[in-house]
Amino acid sequence: MSELRQQIKSKGTIDTYSRDVGYFRKYLVSKDLPPTLYP
């Protein structure tokens, strides 16, 4: 998220991105897929 801060994104934007990434991670885990790009 530091890249978003460097781009001077609002706190709301950063919070939304963080939340959505968390949802996507939970989806991957629920499908038995790796939640990271690097094992």
Side-chain angles (χ1 to χ4, degrees), residues 2-24:
S2 63
E3 184 175 332
L4 294 174
R5 287 186 196 101
Q6 289 173 357
Q7 295 175 9
I8 312 174
K9 299 296 182 190
S10 74
K11 181 181 179 328
T13 297
I14 293 170
D15 291 347
T16 298
Y17 286 9
S18 294
R19 182 197 66 214
D20 292 346
V21 168
Y23 289 157
F24 184 59

Side-chain angles (χ1 to χ4, degrees), residues 19-33:
R19 182 197 66 214
D20 292 346
V21 168
Y23 289 157
F24 184 59
R25 184 183 186 287
K26 286 180 184 180
Y27 168 79
L28 292 173
V29 169
S30 76
K31 300 296 182 183
D32 291 326
L33 297 169

